[in-house]
Amino acid sequence: MTKPEAFNVLRGEDGGELVVVADFAATGRQAATFHDLVKLLDTTHTVWETAPVPWGQEAGMTGADQAERWLDGIRDSGLKVRALLGFCGGGIYAGIMADRIAQWQDRPRLVLFDPGFAERRMLTEHVEGFYRRLAKAFTEEQLAAGRRRVAEASAAPGALELADRLGALFHEELRPAIVRAGWSERAADDGADLVNGYLHWLAGAVDLDPRPAWRAADVLNSATPGIGLHIIPEGERPAMFGTTRFFDVPHGDLLRTAEVAEAADALLAGSARPRADAQK
């Protein structure tokens, strides 16, 4: 089988069934990724990771457009999708794809790790975080002007327009600051492209509603406050998700924890759902 254009192949097998993992695939982040989780899994199924839209092609692509790009690749493969796994905002895209895939085959299993909704404010907060981390590369006047531009960009009428404005701002002001902070021009270019891609990926998810699919999902959640199930009132969780299970590990380590991998393997194998005493 040729390499799928819209995916990264994390595990290739000949079993005829496919597991799709949804996340913003990027190297260098501190939080564990599906690359870490797949190394711990015993499953023999083929595993594909959603790849971001190629740099420079993000503008104007809605969340539905991005999901359709992956769905096209899945349909073209001819593989039966056994399960979709989603991490954080990737759980939104995983849910949307699960509903679409159920239109042409049996509904695949849906497993979510620290699921959460995408909100407009997250785009602004992401860029503001770079201004804080790169503050020493700006004069006080430059820093104040940059923060004003972020605030002005926040007036964009939609999430995609906001991503466009913030992506342009990052290239114009934060990319040079990365160079002033000691990084190479190439590293600054790569960083700016990566942030632009993430902003558009996140903006696309803002306008998607994964809740219909999430009602049948199995959730594996970290212990980090303010993440995933922790921001959803306990009484609302049974109606929102299929099963829930908590692990005493921080958010950043969820996908690199052996116990979590064992739980995911059990779900992928179609064995019993998490024990009732593990649900909260």
Side-chain angles (χ1 to χ4, degrees):
M1 180 184 299
T2 58
K3 181 183 181 300
E5 292 184 3
F7 296 91
N8 303 314
V9 178
L10 303 191
R11 177 173 292 179
E13 301 289 350
D14 297 323
E17 291 192 311
L18 176 65
V19 174
V20 175
V21 300
D23 189 12
F24 183 77
T27 59
R29 79 181 192 194
Q30 293 183 343
T33 69
F34 278 116
H35 292 245
D36 300 295
L37 181 70
V38 168
K39 292 176 184 177
L40 301 175
L41 293 178
D42 291 331
T43 183
T44 59
H45 301 299
T46 296
V47 183
W48 289 358
E49 176 189 50
T50 55
V53 176
W55 311 133
Q57 299 179 24
E58 309 94 339
M61 287 195 71
T62 66
D65 293 334
Q66 295 182 59
E68 192 61 36
R69 173 173 169 266
W70 298 313
L71 289 164
D72 284 344
I74 293 169
R75 278 189 292 259
D76 291 345
S77 75
L79 293 173
K80 178 181 179 181
V81 181
R82 184 176 187 86
L84 290 107
L85 280 56
F87 179 66
C88 283
I92 299 171
Y93 285 108
I96 296 300
M97 288 191 288
D99 274 348
R100 290 291 308 280
I101 292 168
Q103 296 175 6
W104 74 75
Q105 66 155 72
D106 294 338
R107 177 173 289 276
R109 190 143 203 166
L110 180 60
V111 184
L112 307 176
F113 301 80
D114 280 357
F117 295 101
E119 302 176 30
R120 276 180 57 111
R121 63 173 177 79
M122 294 176 177
L123 282 76
T124 303
E125 290 171 355
H126 189 66
V127 174
E128 288 174 339
F130 278 96
Y131 274 103
R132 289 194 297 272
R133 290 192 290 274
L134 294 167
K136 293 182 179 179
F138 291 96
T139 65
E140 291 186 7
E141 293 77 11
Q142 289 173 330
L143 197 58
R147 287 171 174 162
R148 283 196 301 271
R149 290 193 64 187
V150 172
E152 292 167 357
S154 297
L160 289 179
E161 291 86 353
L162 176 58
D164 287 340
R165 295 184 186 185
L166 291 176
L169 177 60
F170 198 101
H171 277 83
E172 293 167 12
E173 293 195 359
L174 287 160
R175 182 206 164 280
I178 293 173
V179 176
R180 293 196 298 272
W183 295 86
S184 69
E185 294 279 350
R186 174 64 182 273
D189 285 339
D190 290 345
D193 287 343
L194 184 67
V195 169
N196 188 58
Y198 175 72
L199 290 171
H200 284 82
W201 177 86
L202 185 60
V206 169
D207 294 325
L208 298 176
D209 183 4
R211 287 174 294 183
W214 282 9
R215 286 196 288 268
D218 301 289
V219 179
L220 307 180
N221 212 90
S222 71
T224 301
I227 296 291
L229 296 175
H230 294 293
I231 62 175
I232 299 172
E234 186 173 348
E236 296 179 13
R237 295 171 193 162
M240 187 173 291
F241 302 104
T243 69
T244 59
R245 183 173 178 181
F246 288 82
F247 295 85
D248 191 19
V249 296
H251 171 70
D253 291 336
L254 188 65
L255 296 184
R256 63 168 63 100
T257 299
E259 185 183 3
V260 176
E262 291 173 4
D265 262 327
L267 294 170
L268 292 176
S271 60
R273 292 178 181 272
R275 300 186 313 274
D277 62 359
Q279 299 179 35
K280 297 183 181 180

